[in-house]
Amino acid sequence: MAFSGAALLAALPLALAQSSSSAAVTPIPSGLPFPDTTYPNATVPYAVAGAQTNQTSPPSYPAPWGEGLGDWADAYQQARAFVSQLTLTEKVNLTTGVGWQGEQCVGNNGAIPRLAFKSMCLQDSPLGVRFGDFATAQPAGVTIAATWDRSLFYLRGLNMGEEHRDKGVDIFLGPVVGPLGRAPAGGRNWEGFSPDPYLSGVAVAETVRGVQDANVIACTKHYILNEQEHFRQGPPPDYLTEALSSNIDDKTMHELYLWPFVDAVRAGTGAMMCSYQQINNSYGCQNSYTMNHLLKNELGFQGFILSDWDAQHSGVASALAGLDQTMPGDESFDSGTAYWGGNLTIAVLNGTIPQWRIDDMAVRIMAAYYYVDRPGHEVDTNFDSWTQDTFGFQHFFASEDYRQVNWHVDVQQNHGQDARNFAAKGTVLLKNTGGLPLTGQEKLTAVFGSDAAENQYGPNGCPDRGCDNGTLAMGWGSGTANFPYLITPLEAIKAEVRSHRGSVESVIDDYAYGQITALSRRVAQPLVGGACIVFANSDAGEGYIVVDYNEGDRNNLTLWHNGDDLINAVAAECNNTIVVMHTVGPVLVNAWYENPNITAIVWAGIPGQESGNAITDILYGKVNPGGKTPFTWGDSRGSYGSDLLYQTNNGVNAPQDNFENGVFIDYRAFDRLGETPVYEFGFGLSYTTFEYSNLQVQSQQAGAYVPTSGQTPPAPTYGSVGDAADFVYPTDFHRVEAYIYPFINSTNLRQSSGDPAYGVNVSYPAGAFDDGAQPYLAAGSNVAPGGNQQLYDLMFTITADVTNTGDVVGDEVPQLYLSLGGPDEPAVVLRGFERLTVQPGETAQFQAQLCRRDLSNWDVVSQNWVITSYPKTIYVGSSSRKLPLQQALDIPAGVAAPAPASSSAAASGSAAVSSSAAASGSAAASSSAAASGSAAASSSAAASSSVAVSGSVAAQSSAGAVTQISDGQIQAPSAAPTTIVTQISDGQIQAAASSSTA
């Protein structure tokens, strides 16, 4: 806690939010309005695919208030009761982080001591407890996706949830479905699951359920279109004034990138993390269309939206656009200033933010807290993110309150064995002409490559795994965790070979070609015999770390450390060469994969701490490989249909990344371009063989699809705002340096703000203050989260027989693909899968179900899902290109298109948006009446502050002007300070760097 003594802590009625004394702030230009947002077609609320740069995102107001839909009802009842007891500053504390390194976790909001409510702990990562000790380092998302096993998706989530819970974490910053993986070189693709939205949707839903069944809030991230590391945060490089803009069309958004987020919402994810980059030139954490319209309105999301770390660019604007919590709370790391904190208190007091909005923020946060039953499973935080020492400072940045900060609690349970199983079952056998499985009786086993051995600095020797030394078991960045141990392939193979009294030698220098050639030649001698196992990798991570000139994103799709040369050197001498790759995604294997001396190729993914044991299980046949590749392997980079933006293309302004490829990414792009993959999506071999037969399709009785109609209740409020005098800093209050508090400096709000432009009369977004009943969207829901619930009506049940025709037990993953028909649709899209264990000579039945959503396309005119009249065909097989079974679907009449909607968007609940910037489905309330010309002022301490002018103004700086952007937002000043602390995702920091540092 930030108070100087236990007695004061117990006595104070208010908790923690912003520090520092009064300071002058740069005035905001008077009369600065929200710009009108126009676009070519009023029924298409996005840029069309292939459009030019500088697209815009339509405004959508007011921010929908949570209702407690579906199984959230009880949680909302408890949350409303709790929030009804709170003062304004206590509500602000729930919404605002205490600042970077202000407490023990990568993120903490303020506590409420009066009600014995402790600060919430938010912690990475999506594969383990980041910065924690004695916790499991699980396989990455891309590896668990390769298992294609729902039960393992869930179990991994449960294991991670249990470990975060027992370390004292309240909010688990994961799982990841953004990036989805639009381009194979994307730096953080490995944190997520697959570029296929259906596979990713199943994986994220099961992970969310697992995490939250352990009574920890899951925070699905990064919402949305965060598909590359280059330019995602704007400066640096210092010549950029804005972050990259991902420009997308409406259909692609719904059918591809939003798809897995819908599954996370349906699974009950308690939180969503908005992303750094812009979306059609509006920052992700102040984009009212993606947050208000899509997530909270159309999808009926009942939890709360929190910002990525320092992804907030405005005060009131972000609040009105739907942001509910800001992390880590300060405007920039350890600045001591904040867009919210005291700013938010002032904004509510002067009416710039309506009370119902701050109440909804607080209720959403607390509803997620009750939804996972945190009160019954709270554990005090027993680790520290900033030191591994037992004793340290509670407030690390301020170096205050020295005490015990680490209890070194071992939370691993038996999860290491699970991690080994996950990694083995996520291993994909890509080629096998007799090299595998090994018997253990090989006379000489030779192991090659640095990827087989340990990092010379130790498994945790590079901060956030920011290097590519030794075996690759984890990418780099905030999506990492500390290894409690790391079993390398070399030590596991040695143990296996020695158990059979064989010989094993190794060369782990990737460039020692003389020794490599000599050892390879020895293995191939007629009286020796054995196996040459070559390990190679390809790494990637988050952009705040640069490894071998790769700024997070990969520069190319080749193996690192000249892996191709290493493999060819071995294969030139050894006629039984087995290649094992640890990679974050696909690599180009053209240079060697067809070499007849290469008898097996294995993709071992990003396997976590049990790497060596898992790959040995596969190589020696203890586990029959059953993994399937969750992405496509091509023979050129151009085959993928889309790529990253490595160079700026818009002067000093936001680089424009146009998603011109639409829904055609990965295997969909290969199919559209007529490219033949090396290994297609869903491909994977086994030590046995399978046959498919007896496809059966049973039509289910589904009713007509009716658009949702009706209206929400009016916005509720809880308690009263109170007077400014109630929220002034208490006398003799000790302010921890750079800590963010909710208090104000005086009862005179103008003076407390320190802003000469306080009270300037500006325009507000239409409908932003409207607290009346709002129409539901036609594609939305008034019943449960996830959109119109009739989308999940069962329409077909499909079965097929899978027979093991070999002589060993094995796992097979039958896959169901669907052709939606139509000239602009993918050839096939994944719509079902199941991992089956089949005994030799036996037959198992595969079953999948198709719901209305699976068969539908997004219609940009009606703003709803429709089943088109084009013929639909299903295919079942072992991969996206091996589909021996097929059958046409007979869509029953009357269930395809939704019933006709009213031409009025407001009446029908459709999302048609007029070009006049009126929020779709919301009344266009008079902004001047709502605001009376008041402007939320910046915090007393903010030299660079969020002065809230009609909810639109971002931080002010004497160095730069405020720049308008779309969606009624005004972005941060263009000029960067001379020296900065480079902020990176989800609670991580890079050393202080000049503004020119990338």
Side-chain angles (χ1 to χ4, degrees), residues 507-571:
V507 179
I508 60 172
D509 185 334
D510 298 311
Y511 305 98
Y513 295 116
Q515 291 84 352
I516 291 167
T517 298
L519 180 57
S520 302
R521 185 180 298 121
R522 284 177 52 209
V523 174
Q525 296 303 306
L527 297 180
V528 178
C532 298
I533 311 175
V534 187
F535 286 84
N537 69 40
S538 180
D539 203 355
E542 198 167 356
Y544 70 92
I545 293 175
V546 179
V547 179
D548 294 343
Y549 304 102
N550 293 266
E551 298 178 17
D553 303 313
R554 288 189 284 169
N555 292 335
N556 51 56
L557 299 184
T558 56
L559 290 167
W560 288 29
H561 302 281
N562 288 358
D564 289 347
D565 292 343
L566 171 65
I567 293 167
N568 281 324
V570 174

Side-chain angles (χ1 to χ4, degrees), residues 603-623:
W603 180 71
I606 304 295
Q609 69 187 41
E610 286 283 336
S611 173
N613 287 333
I615 192 59
T616 304
D617 288 344
I618 294 293
L619 295 177
Y620 289 89
K622 298 175 184 179
V623 174

Side-chain angles (χ1 to χ4, degrees), residues 23-32 750 753-760 762 935-938 942-949 953-962 970 973:
V25 296
T26 304
I28 299 172
S30 61
L32 193 62
R750 180 185 297 273
S753 75
D755 175 25
Y758 181 89
V760 63
V762 298
S938 70
S944 291
S945 161
S946 69
V947 184
V949 177
V953 177
Q956 302 302 300
S957 167
S958 58
V962 175
I970 298 176

